[in-house]
Amino acid sequence: MTVKALPERKTIAGMECLGRKLAADYIGFSLSALDKMLAACRSEKNRPKVMIRYYQPTKHAPLWFPIPWLDKFVAEVADNGGIW
């Protein structure tokens, strides 16, 4: 059985989207830091001030990060003094 690799870029609803690895590079995070950020966004107790948005069509589907949403996240973090 061979496993097909997921594409790292995809267009969804007219927006260029990035996979997890490219999205982490795009915003200057390591992949593990992005995963920790996503886990914090899902928790009720430790939610960050600035939330990162992503698109996931169904449960257990890969996450996609539209570039305009990543740009907005970076701008909000900058406005918040670099604290997410």
Side-chain angles (χ1 to χ4, degrees), residues 2-82:
T2 59
V3 177
K4 187 176 178 183
L6 292 173
E8 284 295 317
R9 291 180 176 266
K10 190 175 190 179
T11 302
I12 300 173
M15 292 186 290
E16 177 86 21
C17 298
L18 304 176
R20 282 178 44 245
K21 291 178 186 174
L22 287 180
D25 288 339
Y26 188 83
I27 60 175
F29 281 13
S30 66
L31 189 56
S32 62
L34 178 64
D35 289 340
K36 288 178 185 178
M37 172 69 163
L38 293 171
C41 288
R42 290 183 192 116
S43 76
E44 290 289 324
K45 187 176 178 183
N46 298 321
R47 277 217 172 123
K49 292 179 183 178
V50 181
M51 301 284 284
I52 190 165
R53 293 180 59 198
Y54 56 88
Y55 175 73
Q56 186 177 23
T58 60
K59 192 173 183 177
H60 303 293
L63 301 178
W64 293 102
F65 298 88
I67 291 177
W69 294 359
L70 292 174
D71 291 336
K72 184 176 178 183
F73 170 75
V74 170
E76 287 177 5
V77 169
D79 291 343
N80 199 29

